[in-house]
Amino acid sequence: MAVYFDHRVEAPDSSGAAVLVSWHSSVCVLAVGSVNASSGGCVDLYLQQGEHVELCHVERGFSPSLLQWHPTKPLLAVGWETGETILLSHPSGEHTPLPNNTHTACITVLEWSSNGSRLVTGDQAGVMAVWRVDARGKLQGSPLIKHDYSKPLTCCIFRPTAPAEDVAMLARAAVSGDESALDMFNWKKSNKGAVFALGSQEGLAFYISAADGSVYSVDEQVRSVALLSVESAVQKMWYSKRRAVLAVVTESLLLSQFSVGPEGFTQEISKVKLSSRGGQHTDIVWTENGLLITASGEQHIRLWDVELDDHYALSLDESLGFEKGELLNCVSFCISKQVLAAGTSMGRVALWHMVTVSDQKGDTKTQWKLQTPAEVEGNISQLQWGSSSHLLAVCSSNSSCVVILSEHVMCSHYSQQMAAVQLTPTQLSLANFNSNTHITFHTDTHIRAVQVTKDMVAVWNGKYITVYEPSGQTLHSTGSFQCESAALALHDENIYTIEPNRVQIRTPQGTVKQLLVFSEVEGNPTLLSVCGSYLAVGTDTSHVRVFNLTRREAKPLGVTKNLCDLIPDLGALRSVKCNASGSQLSVLVTQVNGRPDNKVYFYDIELDTLSYFDFFTGRPESSLALSDDSQRTRCEGELAARCPVSQFWDENEPRLFVCETVPVNSDLLRSSQSQTEKEDVMVVTFFVTQEHGLLLQDSQPKPATLLSLLALDTPYYYYICKLGEVGDQGQAVSTPADAPQVPSAPQMVVRRALRDFVGLESCEKQTRDAMLNFSFYLTIGDMDEAFKAIKLIKRYMYSCTHILPTRAMRFISV
């Protein structure tokens, strides 16, 4: 469940219709080129929420023709229709023009080498120049070469280095005086300190094409030779390093593939005519693995897998909100998210998520799953994914405004029988399970975080926190204050926010009542979580601490613990939660290599000890013995080769812990938890105690109709369900006949009884505690204590008119 917030760029009055958009590959900054019919053209830079960078504004009396970011530095190459080319620096706004008279015609080629030490420029008249750029991003004088091909140049790609071109060869060439090799060493030193990896040097050879279909090869010494020729102007090129194959697509949509030999010898190996809608511009995208994607104003987009020689099409689905006859104009593919975006004629952005699945024979197959569209205005003409994989720039042909879509995982929270789930950027579904009511609430701003208690709902939009109180079938605001805290938590009448090196305890009106200070070594708080009357805090230096909130002022429990001392290869904290008594802290982490750790860690605050359960092996830490052989076999069978993605402690029972896990090769490990409905998700429940360690209580697949786990509050698991698919409540909810109902409000949270509480959902606290004790003692194998607990449960059973089978009843019958 993800939603896209739309941010319109704050364009200056002098800018006109946007014609070019380009994201930097690693910095969240967007370049926009626009044309004003009366004043000419301009280029502006914007941040991820559309804020204009005032110093980075360049105007000319003519139109910009190309934008190309440096691969690592915030340096933009801008080509204009008169041939002028400048380098624009962010955020200073400093711009350096290339020497005059290098180009006198419209710039048609701008291409950086992989590390940015070379820049290739080309124009409509056929003039090509190659420039050297130093490690600081400064242009080095005259071009290395200036060559006139006497025909318009169309595109350029740098050729990746071959694996055989290793570091030793590069070093020998540098020592012998090869300036190109020396430049590559200098660039490696400027990028992370000079540790060379085999085959990781920068390739300086490239291919450049012309309007007559000619393709030329330019080597590291900038010597140009004719390589091949095709029937018409080249529109796109792609080079397969693995196969040493150059693929070329012409303006007439003829796809040709050529094998390229070591001496520049080429041989055509295939030629195919790509299908398209006649007379329409075709937008073409190559992916790194050789997938060619085209959109040409049809009702579908076409995909050609050049490596596998396979092709197919993707269409829209009216059931997801698209209209009949809606056309697809442009495409953009996000490598890190494996998401394909396509812009439509109706102002919608179609999003396909690429999933690789394996059949029983072990063969892999690619599937594309269409998502609910994001909507903007106008006929979308350009799309580009941003440096941060959750950013997408959208440009419409009949609108002068560029929109930045920012992906946000829909937020949710549960506490004290209140649940909130985000439906849209400004809409919440609220459920009160005490009164069995569900309402839909609209806010005035985008919702980036939400927290609830039985008496309060707090919403954060990134800049302000607004507090609401439930009142019947609606909510009314009781306060709003400015706060840029990225983490938020509630307890009683207090709001917990963060700022550098401290946690702020505020009133609902924003007044700071207390500060919980962390030292510079302990770091900046980034994670907050409340369970019962305890607050868990995690920092950006992987320190954790728990605070007791039962008194007037929050008091720390134990000391601040540095988990880097206890967890090898710890990169960062993903999630920090404490139990209802504040005695145990559970932690999910990311490793140094950026991958999620397969373990869930448990820190005992009183004993100052760390234990874990490893979902890769399906075993706990060796010091924590499983209760019996059957449980060990079950763990290793069901829970092996998995990774935890979310975790929760029971709201009131400090021994009970649950987490969601997915297979280790799951796409979830590269994306948000909102995609759990696509995977083999297992919900695993443990008892965690000092005396007996970590004990598996239950494991079960997540129901297919539900999205993800929201909370554990005995006797129920609380799940977020798909909109419009509440499903059969069955045994999950006991609904009073006279409870007020609001049919129009979508029910986004459903309850499912824990295995041992099926039939006992409405029992009183004494029986519930006895049932938990029975379950615990049965898990550890203490039959005497289990029999004691069963007496209370048995008394309750006989007082009920209808009881479903439970483990307790079967235990009694035995």
Side-chain angles (χ1 to χ4, degrees):
M1 281 176 41
V3 64
Y4 282 86
F5 295 164
D6 57 298
H7 305 281
R8 292 180 178 272
V9 300
E10 300 168 357
D13 295 337
S14 58
S15 65
V19 293
L20 301 169
V21 292
S22 179
W23 283 105
H24 191 281
S25 61
S26 57
V27 182
C28 292
V29 57
L30 173 70
V32 176
S34 58
V35 177
N36 190 313
S38 59
S39 60
C42 64
V43 173
D44 294 277
L45 302 187
Y46 302 91
L47 303 182
Q48 62 180 348
Q49 293 191 19
E51 306 97 324
H52 183 235
V53 183
E54 294 185 4
L55 295 177
C56 298
H57 173 79
V58 181
E59 287 189 30
R60 293 291 187 271
F62 36 84
S63 301
S65 59
L66 277 180
L67 304 175
Q68 193 69 264
W69 282 102
H70 188 283
T72 58
K73 301 182 183 303
L75 182 67
L76 177 71
V78 182
W80 303 83
E81 64 179 1
T82 60
E84 181 183 358
T85 305
I86 65 171
L87 300 181
L88 175 62
S89 296
H90 171 267
S92 67
E94 176 185 355
H95 53 277
T96 305
L98 270 61
N100 291 333
N101 302 321
T102 302
H103 298 284
T104 57
C106 180
I107 298 296
T108 56
V109 169
L110 281 178
E111 191 71 22
W112 295 93
S113 59
S114 60
N115 285 341
S117 67
R118 296 288 188 273
L119 173 65
V120 178
T121 59
D123 63 30
Q124 188 73 28
V127 176
M128 178 201 73
V130 181
W131 308 84
R132 177 185 289 142
V133 181
D134 66 19
R136 298 171 299 166
K138 300 296 183 182
L139 193 68
Q140 298 296 292
S142 302
L144 295 173
I145 187 176
K146 182 178 178 181
H147 188 80
D148 189 354
Y149 291 99
S150 300
K151 44 201 166 188
L153 301 176
T154 57
C155 64
C156 171
I157 61 168
F158 275 83
R159 187 184 70 202
T161 54
E165 298 175 20
D166 61 21
V167 175
M169 294 174 60
L170 191 67
R172 287 194 293 269
V175 171
S176 62
D178 188 325
E179 290 190 4
S180 298
L182 186 61
D183 283 340
M184 284 188 278
F185 268 93
N186 289 335
W187 273 86
K188 287 299 172 185
K189 289 177 181 178
S190 69
N191 292 343
K192 296 192 178 178
V195 177
F196 295 95
L198 187 64
S200 64
Q201 68 274 10
E202 183 180 28
L204 299 179
F206 60 89
Y207 302 109
I208 190 166
S209 63
D212 66 348
S214 302
V215 178
Y216 300 88
S217 175
V218 182
D219 64 16
E220 288 83 352
Q221 287 73 40
V222 291
R223 294 174 300 208
S224 176
V225 296
L227 187 69
L228 58 93
S229 181
V230 291
E231 288 79 357
S232 60
V234 176
Q235 187 176 354
K236 287 281 185 179
M237 293 190 291
W238 176 75
Y239 182 80
S240 171
K241 178 178 176 180
R242 183 180 66 85
R243 299 165 56 216
V245 167
L246 179 65
V248 176
V249 179
T250 67
E251 287 188 347
S252 60
L253 294 185
L254 189 68
L255 168 62
S256 302
Q257 295 188 65
F258 300 86
S259 62
V260 182
E263 301 300 325
F265 173 77
T266 61
Q267 181 178 1
E268 185 176 88
I269 56 178
S270 71
K271 181 186 293 185
V272 63
K273 183 69 168 66
L274 305 181
S275 301
S276 71
R277 185 182 179 187
Q280 295 291 321
H281 167 75
T282 301
D283 192 25
I284 300 176
V285 169
W286 284 104
T287 69
E288 286 186 346
N289 59 354
L291 188 64
L292 175 66
I293 308 169
T294 65
S296 57
E298 299 177 285
Q299 294 183 33
H300 48 260
I301 57 177
R302 303 180 186 273
L303 300 93
W304 283 265
D305 192 321
V306 177
E307 298 274 350
L308 300 177
D309 193 25
D310 187 20
H311 61 90
Y312 48 94
L314 300 177
S315 302
L316 302 177
D317 186 347
E318 293 178 32
S319 67
L320 292 176
F322 297 97
E323 296 184 29
K324 187 176 182 178
E326 198 161 357
L327 305 178
L328 293 154
N329 301 325
C330 52
V331 288
S332 181
F333 183 71
C334 179
I335 298 172
S336 61
K337 290 172 61 64
Q338 298 289 284
V339 172
L340 172 63
T344 78
S345 57
M346 303 287 190
R348 295 184 181 90
V349 179
L351 299 161
W352 283 272
H353 183 254
M354 186 172 75
V355 180
T356 302
V357 296
S358 301
D359 58 21
Q360 295 180 347
K361 297 180 180 179
D363 298 327
T364 60
K365 183 179 180 181
T366 298
Q367 294 183 352
W368 296 88
K369 297 190 177 182
L370 183 61
Q371 313 296 309
T372 303
E375 298 194 17
V376 294
E377 295 178 359
N379 182 26
I380 299 175
S381 57
Q382 287 188 70
L383 290 174
Q384 192 181 77
W385 284 102
S387 51
S388 174
S389 59
H390 65 276
L391 298 174
L392 181 67
V394 183
C395 183
S396 300
S397 60
N398 53 355
S399 172
S400 61
C401 185
V402 174
V403 175
I404 298 174
L405 296 180
S406 174
E407 186 188 24
H408 168 69
V409 177
M410 289 190 182
C411 54
S412 58
H413 187 241
Y414 172 91
S415 179
Q416 299 175 328
Q417 294 293 296
M418 282 285 293
V421 177
Q422 186 176 11
L423 299 175
T424 71
T426 60
Q427 192 177 47
L428 284 175
S429 171
L430 297 172
N432 186 328
F433 287 93
N434 281 325
S435 60
N436 197 44
T437 58
H438 300 83
I439 64 173
T440 300
F441 178 67
H442 294 265
T443 64
D444 296 330
T445 61
H446 286 161
I447 303 167
R448 294 187 177 274
V450 63
Q451 290 280 297
V452 296
T453 66
K454 60 183 176 61
D455 300 316
M456 191 183 344
V457 177
V459 171
W460 179 65
N461 70 355
K463 295 182 179 179
Y464 286 87
I465 292 176
T466 304
V467 180
Y468 301 90
E469 285 187 3
S471 178
Q473 294 301 306
T474 185
L475 286 85
H476 63 273
S477 175
T478 59
S480 181
F481 54 91
Q482 186 173 358
C483 182
E484 297 187 3
S485 170
L488 181 67
L490 301 183
H491 179 260
D492 288 343
E493 295 296 317
N494 295 327
I495 301 175
Y496 300 84
T497 61
I498 61 173
E499 64 178 14
N501 296 113
R502 66 190 67 195
V503 175
Q504 302 160 316
I505 304 179
R506 300 172 178 264
T507 67
Q509 290 72 40
T511 303
V512 177
K513 299 165 53 178
Q514 185 184 354
L515 294 177
L516 308 178
V517 180
F518 289 73
S519 68
E520 185 175 347
V521 173
E522 293 169 341
N524 301 311
T526 56
L527 299 171
L528 299 178
S529 177
V530 169
C531 184
S533 296
Y534 296 89
L535 170 71
V537 182
T539 75
D540 57 3
T541 59
S542 300
H543 286 70
V544 294
R545 194 160 200 181
V546 174
F547 294 86
N548 186 340
L549 309 180
T550 57
R551 302 180 183 180
R552 182 175 180 181
E553 289 192 345
K555 298 293 183 182
L557 293 179
V559 296
T560 305
K561 195 67 179 178
N562 183 6
L563 295 183
C564 290
D565 297 336
L566 304 175
I567 302 176
D569 300 322
L570 192 157
L573 304 180
R574 280 196 291 146
S575 173
V576 175
K577 302 286 183 72
C578 66
N579 67 353
S581 65
S583 60
Q584 294 276 354
L585 201 62
S586 60
V587 183
L588 304 182
V589 306
T590 300
Q591 297 173 338
V592 173
N593 61 12
R595 289 191 59 83
D597 197 326
N598 298 107
K599 303 180 183 72
V600 55
Y601 295 91
F602 297 91
Y603 175 62
D604 189 304
I605 296 171
E606 296 176 359
L607 299 181
D608 190 24
T609 57
L610 187 77
S611 56
Y612 61 80
F613 187 93
D614 189 343
F615 281 99
F616 187 80
T617 63
R619 289 185 175 186
E621 185 185 10
S622 57
S623 61
L624 297 177
L626 293 168
S627 61
D628 53 38
D629 291 337
S630 63
Q631 191 183 62
R632 180 178 296 106
T633 302
R634 179 183 173 193
C635 281
E636 294 176 357
E638 293 181 359
L639 305 183
R642 305 187 73 83
C643 180
V645 293
S646 69
Q647 58 163 349
F648 305 91
W649 289 93
D650 188 281
E651 289 276 303
N652 299 290
E653 170 54 57
R655 295 173 295 180
L656 208 54
F657 171 85
V658 65
C659 61
E660 285 181 296
T661 68
V662 297
V664 291
N665 60 352
S666 166
D667 287 339
L668 265 179
L669 303 183
R670 300 190 301 270
S671 60
S672 67
Q673 295 177 15
S674 65
Q675 302 299 324
T676 51
E677 75 274 15
K678 299 176 192 231
E679 303 295 340
D680 172 24
V681 180
M682 187 74 72
V683 178
V684 186
T685 309
F686 294 100
F687 280 113
V688 184
T689 67
Q690 288 183 351
E691 298 80 11
H692 301 281
L694 190 60
L695 300 166
L696 176 65
Q697 193 271 336
D698 188 23
S699 63
Q700 56 182 276
K702 176 183 65 64
T705 59
L706 304 179
L707 282 174
S708 59
L709 188 65
L710 177 63
L712 171 60
D713 193 356
T714 305
Y716 294 112
Y717 297 110
Y718 289 76
Y719 287 97
I720 300 174
C721 62
K722 300 176 184 179
L723 186 61
E725 296 186 24
V726 174
D728 180 17
Q729 293 282 331
Q731 305 158 10
V733 175
S734 176
T735 306
D738 58 347
Q741 301 292 330
V742 186
S744 61
Q747 185 175 344
M748 295 299 298
V749 178
V750 295
R751 305 188 290 191
R752 295 290 184 263
L754 276 71
R755 177 183 58 178
D756 291 336
F757 282 88
V758 174
L760 297 175
E761 296 93 337
S762 301
C763 64
E764 74 280 0
K765 184 179 185 302
Q766 185 180 12
T767 304
R768 183 167 65 246
D769 292 343
M771 188 70 242
L772 278 169
N773 287 330
F774 163 77
S775 181
F776 174 73
Y777 291 126
L778 199 61
T779 301
I780 66 175
D782 190 335
M783 298 303 151
D784 291 338
E785 292 298 327
F787 269 113
K788 292 179 183 178
I790 215 69
K791 293 179 181 178
L792 287 174
I793 304 169
K794 187 176 180 180
R795 187 180 306 130
Y796 175 80
M797 286 180 175
Y798 291 150
S799 68
C800 297
T801 58
H802 176 66
I803 293 296
L804 295 176
T806 65
R807 281 207 304 169
M809 289 188 68
R810 292 193 294 271
F811 187 79
I812 293 172
S813 64
V814 173

